[in-house]
Amino acid sequence: MLKGRHVIEPGDLSVGEINEICSLAEQIIVDPVSFQDVCRGKILATLFFEPSTRTRLSFEAAMLHLGGTVEGFADASYTSSTKGETLADTIRVVSSYVDVIAMRSPKEGAALLASHYSPVPVINAGDGGHSHPTQTLTDMLTIRQLRGGLERHSICFCGDLKFGRTVHSLAKAMSRYPGNEFIFVSPSELKVPEYITKDILEPAGIKYKEVERLEDVIGDIDILYMTRVQKERFFNEQDYIRLKDSYILDREKMKMARKDMIVLHPLPRVNEIAPEVDDDPRAAYFKQVRYGMFARMALIAKLTGSL
C-alpha cells in the first residue's frame, strides 16, 4: 500500500512496488485519457530550492495530466527562507494546503528532514549528491520499455560517478534485479563511491568493473548511462575545468557499440553527448524525458490514494 508514504530514496520502494508503479505507468502510456481525472481535487506542491527544468516541469505536467493542480516555487529567493524560516516550518505550512509535496534541495538529507514534519507524502526530487528516486523510476521505466525488462543487463555508467546522485540511485535499484552487471567508467577523481561497490555490489556477489576508457567497454554493454561533470558539485573550479571534457560520446564511439544498445542521460547535458548522436536510433534520452512524466504520474496517483 503506497497511499500516504514518503519516497526519499529508491530503497523506500520494494521491488514489487517499483514493478507496480512501472506497470501503472505503462497503462497510462497506452491509454492516458482513462487517467485524466484520477487526481481531480488534489494539489501538488513543488518546492524547488535548487534550479531545475525537467524534474519540476515533469512533476507539474504529471499532476495536471491527472486532473490535479499545482502550486509552489522554482526559486527559493521568493520564499520566507530568505527571512530565516526553517525548512521544518516551511513544510508545516505548505503541507496544510496540499495533498503531496515534491521537493528539491542542494542539501543532502533535506527531503528526509521534510518528511518528519509533513503529514502528506514527500517525494524527494533530488537532494544534493544523495538521491533522486523519481529519476530512478524514470530510468527503470525507460529500460523496461526499450529493453523489455529490468533483469540481466550489462549497464555502463560513464562520467561523474562520484557526485552523480542519479548514478547512485539507479545502480542501487538495478542491483536488486537478478543478472545485472555494472561497468563504471570515470577518471580516478570521479570514481563511484565505495558504498556502492563495497557495501552493495560485492556483498551481493554482483559483477562489476571500473575502467577509465569508454572505448574499452562500449562494445560489450546493453545500456550506456552518460552523465555530465557537474560544476555545482565542485569546490575547486580548476578541478572542474580539468575534468569537464573527460568523456564525450560521439559518432565514432557509437560505431563500436552494439546495434541494440541504448543511451540514457538524466539531462541536462553540456557536451558529453555530441549533437550528432541525437539522430542515432539508440539515443533514448529524449524518450526518457517523456517516460519520466508517466513514471511521476503513476507515483503521484499511488501516493495520493487516487489509484
Side-chain angles (χ1 to χ4, degrees):
M1 185 67 176
L2 288 166
K3 181 180 179 181
R5 296 254 298 274
H6 304 297
V7 178
I8 307 304
E9 60 177 40
D12 292 335
L13 300 170
S14 69
V15 168
E17 288 166 342
I18 290 172
N19 293 339
E20 180 183 343
I21 291 166
C22 286
S23 294
L24 176 57
E26 289 167 343
Q27 293 175 43
I28 299 172
I29 290 169
V30 172
D31 184 16
V33 174
S34 294
F35 298 88
Q36 64 185 4
D37 291 312
V38 298
C39 283
R40 184 72 60 192
K42 305 282 188 181
I43 302 173
L44 165 72
T46 52
L47 311 185
F48 278 66
F49 295 90
E50 184 179 52
S52 169
T53 302
R54 276 147 301 280
T55 302
R56 182 177 62 84
L57 294 181
S58 179
F59 266 110
E60 293 181 356
M63 190 54 148
L64 294 172
H65 278 296
L66 292 170
T69 54
V70 180
E71 63 178 33
F73 54 83
D75 187 336
S77 65
Y78 293 104
T79 74
S80 292
S81 63
T82 61
K83 304 174 185 177
E85 183 176 65
T86 65
L87 176 61
D89 283 359
T90 297
I91 296 299
R92 286 185 177 109
V93 170
V94 173
S95 63
S96 300
Y97 308 144
V98 304
D99 301 284
V100 58
I101 295 171
M103 176 182 151
R104 168 169 287 190
S105 171
K107 298 179 180 178
E108 296 183 9
L112 178 61
L113 177 64
S115 71
H116 293 158
Y117 295 94
S118 176
V120 303
V122 172
I123 305 171
N124 182 7
D127 61 333
H130 178 229
S131 197
H132 196 348
T134 61
Q135 181 64 51
T136 303
L137 289 172
T138 295
D139 300 339
M140 297 176 86
L141 177 61
T142 305
I143 292 168
R144 271 179 54 137
Q145 287 283 291
L146 301 182
R147 294 289 308 181
L150 295 172
E151 302 177 359
R152 296 175 176 81
H153 299 300
S154 174
I155 307 164
C156 176
F157 295 96
C158 180
D160 177 3
L161 310 188
K162 180 178 180 179
F163 298 107
R165 59 192 172 200
T166 60
V167 170
H168 306 163
S169 292
L170 184 58
K172 287 191 290 184
M174 292 297 286
S175 72
R176 299 161 74 184
Y177 289 80
N180 288 327
E181 300 178 0
F182 300 89
I183 300 172
F184 300 106
V185 181
S186 71
S188 59
E189 296 94 334
L190 297 175
K191 288 176 60 174
V192 67
E194 288 194 353
Y195 87 87
I196 298 290
T197 55
K198 305 297 184 184
D199 298 344
I200 295 174
L201 301 184
E202 289 184 9
I206 297 170
K207 294 180 181 179
Y208 76 91
K209 61 181 176 181
E210 297 177 89
V211 300
E212 293 195 5
R213 281 172 41 89
L214 179 59
E215 295 91 329
D216 294 341
V217 298
I218 195 170
D220 303 319
I221 60 178
D222 302 312
I223 300 161
L224 174 57
Y225 197 96
M226 295 294 296
T227 67
R228 69 186 172 96
V229 176
Q230 303 175 83
K231 183 177 182 179
E232 64 268 30
R233 306 297 176 208
F234 280 82
F235 296 106
N236 185 326
E237 186 171 0
Q238 292 304 311
D239 286 343
Y240 167 74
I241 292 171
R242 180 169 53 86
L243 294 170
K244 68 184 180 69
D245 295 329
S246 295
Y247 299 96
I248 298 175
L249 182 66
D250 56 21
R251 188 176 289 129
E252 289 305 308
K253 291 188 180 73
M254 290 295 287
K255 288 178 181 177
M256 307 176 195
R258 294 174 178 170
K259 298 300 183 185
D260 62 347
M261 183 193 77
I262 61 171
V263 181
L264 303 182
H265 191 304
L267 301 180
R269 67 172 165 182
V270 182
N271 65 341
E272 61 277 6
I273 300 178
E276 65 191 35
V277 176
D278 295 352
D279 294 330
D280 191 300
R282 295 168 291 181
Y285 29 91
F286 292 117
K287 293 179 182 177
Q288 188 180 356
V289 170
R290 184 156 177 79
Y291 288 135
M293 181 185 71
F294 292 115
R296 292 180 177 102
M297 287 175 73
L299 181 63
I300 290 168
K302 287 289 186 183
L303 296 184
T304 57
S306 303
L307 289 174

